[in-house]
Amino acid sequence: MDAELRRIRDEVEINRLIAAYSHAVMRLDAAGSAAVYTEDGVLSAFSGPDVIGRNKIERMLGKVYAPLRFLSQNCGSVVIHVDGDTARASSSVAEFVQYKDKEPLSCCFGNYDDTLLRTPDGWRFTKRRFNPF
């Protein structure tokens, strides 16, 4: 495949992966949210300890989602750099959240810094770091 066409295809697939994560978050789907990571993937957020491993990420996100009525996550301004079978991506994030036991809407803004790996199942995150503004 021509190098330019491959780069464009890789960027489209990585954008789809970023969107798949946001859609799983929107559905409060912990398994779907974790499925975009490699088996030993890492999630870092809010200066907390790294969550290492797809299964642990799924369990942690299930706990995060449990008290929520909804969570809308929108990622944009995505910048991707592909280097063979690895990549880096950065995207802006806007989240709107409502808890089951609270009336007011909360919001959170920040960015994701991602490292990715091409796997037999397609691109997956090896690490996602959420940096709140």
Side-chain angles (χ1 to χ4, degrees):
M1 180 183 305
D2 173 70
E4 182 69 7
L5 183 58
R6 183 178 177 121
R7 182 191 60 77
I8 292 168
R9 183 177 176 180
D10 288 339
E11 288 183 9
V12 167
E13 289 175 5
I14 291 168
N15 269 300
R16 283 186 187 149
L17 187 71
I18 291 168
Y21 181 81
S22 291
H23 277 260
V25 168
M26 178 184 65
R27 292 187 312 272
L28 305 177
D29 175 3
S33 299
V36 301
Y37 288 86
T38 57
E39 198 64 43
D40 60 350
V42 178
L43 173 59
S44 299
F46 295 103
S47 301
D50 288 352
V51 182
I52 303 170
R54 186 185 297 150
N55 292 334
K56 288 182 181 178
I57 292 170
E58 180 178 347
R59 285 193 301 275
M60 184 274 298
L61 289 174
K63 291 175 186 175
V64 168
Y65 298 160
L68 302 181
R69 181 170 290 137
F70 75 85
L71 192 165
S72 174
Q73 182 185 85
N74 299 287
C75 290
S77 302
V78 181
V79 177
I80 299 167
H81 176 74
V82 177
D83 185 11
D85 289 336
T86 63
R88 292 190 169 278
S90 181
S91 53
S92 61
V93 181
E95 290 184 341
F96 302 92
V97 180
Q98 187 173 46
Y99 289 86
K100 293 174 184 174
D101 63 346
K102 297 179 183 172
E103 192 58 35
L105 190 65
S106 298
C107 58
C108 179
F109 303 98
N111 80 293
Y112 277 114
D113 287 319
D114 302 321
T115 58
L116 301 100
L117 178 69
R118 184 191 323 268
T119 74
D121 297 321
W123 286 98
R124 295 293 182 266
F125 295 111
T126 56
K127 185 167 188 176
R128 289 205 98 188
R129 176 176 298 283
F130 178 70
N131 306 296
F133 293 155

